[in-house]
Amino acid sequence: KIFSANLTESASTSPSTTMMSSPTMDNDNGNKVVADCTNSIGGGAPSSAGNTSSAWPCATITISCGGVRRWKDIIVNAKCTALAANDRLLVVGTADGCLYLYGTSPTLGWTSGKAFRAHPPFVLGSPVAEISMTSRPLMKQTDGGDNNSSENLPSPCEMVVVTSDGNFYVYLLLPFGLKLKFKGSIVPAMQHMYLSSSSVVPPPPPNRRRQPKMARIQITESKQLMLILVSPPTKSSSSTGRLLQGFIYSRDMELWMRISDSNNFLLSDFYSSLPSGHNSGPQRKEGQGGDDGDGILAQMDRFIKSGASTMASARQMYQKVAENNHDNETATSSSQKIVTRSHCEDRLACAIALGSASEFQTWLKYYARCLASGAGDQDALRFLVDILLGGGQSLSGNHDPASGGGGAIQSILSVLTNEQCLGLEGKDVIRKAILPEMSKNRSLQRLTNEISMELECL
């Protein structure tokens, strides 16, 4: 296997452009700079007795400019298992659990076609399975210092390293070496996916169950650790296709949050409304602003949905759930509406967890549309407005979720009003997202007018 990294696009690559799509190759082959690493078996080394010892492995790293090799290095007694690069660093992970970091020219970058060993090998103790790197510009100084002093400094780089034992490490790469930001394990997420895929009836034999595999892990543009897992189909149940799940790591709770699942909510009325392109969301007009179609939640849903092949099996599963209730058309319709409502609530909760205000508003529109459809669920709509208004209080005040009285509502209020989370005003959200959907249903006209008058009095 040949490990490759396109160094030409490393200087302009960002997490948002590489998260859900394959890299775009430079059309100008004459300017393309590529790093390759190949594994080979070297000849036996002569011993003191004159005999030849057994052969040893080696990893050969090369940098080519326009197809011409410009630089080469050999790592003896090592086997390359991962390769990654950004605008100024090339990182090689090996089977003996080491990281080799190579630097390049600070002025010419990788166009120089040269590299050098910037640090001694860092020992992790387990084979390196995956490396992901990002880089971001430093913030300018605004506290009276020299505003130009930080402009020429190298951009700090965040690097995620996953080892074969399931542990991951997130490092900040400083001039003097690596600084650990946090660490954890992807094993709980993989075990969850394995158990959920093994809970089907009838379950596949233990010897035919396949462990999930890691499809992608990286730091997103919103500084969150994202993990994509894929579970391939088993030979005995190939019709179920492969499953994909997306996770975000919570540093505060030290656990994974499942953000996207290819096998859930397929019966939702809004499943087909999941973003399949860069323009999404209800009633999106041409030229209309908003980034809800390009947020991390939308990108992850698009990636999970496009890579899944479980549509038929999941629909059959939900149909059976509906049939087990009362086995009639009314029960099926009711179950589908429950799934739709749960789908919207799940997307709202994920948008809050990701701090995506635009996607929260998008799915709040879907949620209001679900509640206002048909005869209109007036109780649920009153409950939703009560949550957003905080029992008649303005959302502009500060609320402590730990204080007594309406703890669940206060918790949602603190998320909505906190500038570091969503920074939304409840009254504005109701006017823009909920009332327009309610006004489409004549049976909700009285309630719509009532809520409008209440908003005017606040």
Side-chain angles (χ1 to χ4, degrees):
K1 181 179 179 180
I2 300 178
F3 298 86
S4 298
N6 190 346
L7 304 180
T8 307
E9 60 187 24
S10 296
S12 59
T13 296
S14 65
S16 61
T17 58
T18 62
M19 182 168 63
M20 301 305 169
S21 61
S22 58
T24 302
M25 302 302 292
D26 193 334
N27 292 329
D28 190 354
N29 294 328
N31 296 328
K32 187 165 65 175
V33 184
V34 179
D36 294 322
C37 186
T38 58
N39 297 313
S40 60
I41 302 296
S47 63
S48 57
N51 300 325
T52 300
S53 62
S54 59
W56 37 264
C58 62
T60 303
I61 306 106
T62 60
I63 296 180
S64 302
C65 299
V68 179
R69 190 168 67 184
R70 301 281 299 276
W71 176 86
K72 178 181 177 180
D73 190 24
I74 298 176
I75 304 177
V76 182
N77 278 337
K79 179 182 178 182
C80 176
T81 55
L83 181 70
N86 67 354
D87 55 337
R88 58 179 55 88
L89 281 171
L90 176 67
V91 183
V92 179
T94 59
D96 57 0
C98 286
L99 290 176
Y100 294 82
L101 276 65
Y102 293 86
T104 188
S105 170
T107 55
L108 298 178
W110 293 115
T111 57
S112 64
K114 302 293 182 182
F116 64 94
R117 297 200 183 195
H119 299 276
F122 296 117
V123 180
L124 299 178
S126 295
V128 178
E130 184 75 17
I131 304 173
S132 176
M133 303 177 67
T134 62
S135 60
R136 298 184 182 90
L138 286 171
M139 299 298 293
K140 294 183 179 180
Q141 297 182 3
T142 57
D143 55 354
D146 183 8
N147 290 337
N148 296 325
S149 60
S150 63
E151 289 184 350
N152 296 325
L153 293 177
S155 300
C157 171
E158 288 180 321
M159 179 171 65
V160 184
V161 181
V162 182
T163 54
S164 61
D165 56 3
N167 293 323
F168 71 82
Y169 308 87
V170 179
Y171 296 102
L172 181 65
L173 190 53
L174 303 175
F176 53 83
L178 300 179
K179 180 179 180 180
L180 181 66
K181 293 188 65 177
F182 62 96
K183 61 181 179 178
S185 174
I186 67 172
V187 173
M190 299 183 71
Q191 184 69 3
H192 156 73
M193 192 172 186
Y194 174 77
L195 293 175
S196 62
S197 63
S198 302
S199 61
V200 297
V201 180
N207 59 343
R208 294 188 178 182
R209 298 178 187 176
R210 297 186 180 182
Q211 288 288 349
K213 296 182 179 181
M214 181 174 59
R216 187 183 298 271
I217 186 170
Q218 70 178 68
I219 298 291
T220 67
E221 210 169 34
S222 55
K223 300 182 180 180
Q224 293 167 317
L225 182 62
M226 178 199 71
L227 172 67
I228 303 291
L229 296 180
V230 56
S231 178
T234 61
K235 294 181 179 179
S236 60
S237 59
S238 58
S239 60
T240 59
R242 63 174 187 170
L243 307 175
L244 281 88
Q245 291 183 355
F247 303 85
I248 292 292
Y249 189 75
S250 171
R251 295 177 58 183
D252 294 332
M253 296 184 289
E254 296 186 354
L255 52 75
W256 292 98
M257 299 182 294
R258 192 183 69 192
I259 301 299
S260 188
D261 187 347
S262 63
N263 212 25
N264 284 344
F265 309 120
L266 276 171
L267 283 190
S268 169
D269 294 336
F270 301 129
Y271 183 83
S272 59
S273 300
L274 289 177
S276 57
H278 291 288
N279 293 325
S280 63
Q283 298 179 344
R284 172 62 63 86
K285 298 179 181 179
E286 184 177 357
Q288 182 177 346
D291 58 351
D292 49 316
D294 292 328
I296 179 176
L297 183 59
Q299 294 182 46
M300 185 175 291
D301 279 340
R302 181 166 57 246
F303 181 78
I304 295 296
K305 181 182 176 182
S306 64
S309 56
T310 60
M311 180 76 71
S313 60
R315 284 192 180 277
Q316 292 175 3
M317 178 185 67
Y318 277 116
Q319 291 292 351
K320 290 181 180 180
V321 171
E323 292 172 358
N324 290 335
N325 288 333
H326 296 287
D327 195 18
N328 56 47
E329 185 177 352
T330 303
T332 302
S333 177
S334 176
S335 298
Q336 182 168 351
K337 188 162 186 177
I338 292 175
V339 172
T340 301
R341 186 195 65 198
S342 301
H343 184 205
C344 295
E345 292 176 354
D346 178 81
R347 297 294 84 193
L348 286 171
C350 291
I352 291 176
L354 297 173
S356 178
S358 61
E359 291 177 308
F360 175 85
Q361 295 178 83
T362 294
W363 281 101
L364 189 61
K365 292 179 183 179
Y366 282 128
Y367 191 34
R369 185 179 302 177
C370 172
L371 299 180
S373 62
D377 193 339
Q378 296 193 26
D379 292 338
L381 288 168
R382 287 181 184 274
F383 179 74
L384 176 60
V385 172
D386 185 52
I387 289 178
L388 295 175
L389 290 180
Q393 300 178 5
S394 172
L395 291 179
S396 59
N398 294 325
H399 302 274
D400 183 10
S403 61
I409 293 178
Q410 299 296 339
S411 177
I412 295 177
L413 292 177
S414 64
V415 171
L416 289 177
T417 57
N418 192 334
E419 293 183 357
Q420 295 180 351
C421 295
L422 298 184
L424 299 175
E425 184 71 22
K427 294 184 293 184
D428 295 337
V429 169
I430 295 173
R431 288 192 181 101
K432 295 178 180 179
I434 299 178
L435 290 181
E437 298 297 331
M438 294 178 60
S439 63
K440 299 176 182 179
N441 191 333
R442 290 191 171 213
S443 62
L444 298 175
Q445 184 175 359
R446 182 177 178 180
L447 179 60
T448 303
N449 294 335
E450 180 182 326
I451 295 176
S452 299
M453 292 177 62
E454 183 179 355
L455 293 177
E456 294 297 332
C457 297
L458 293 178

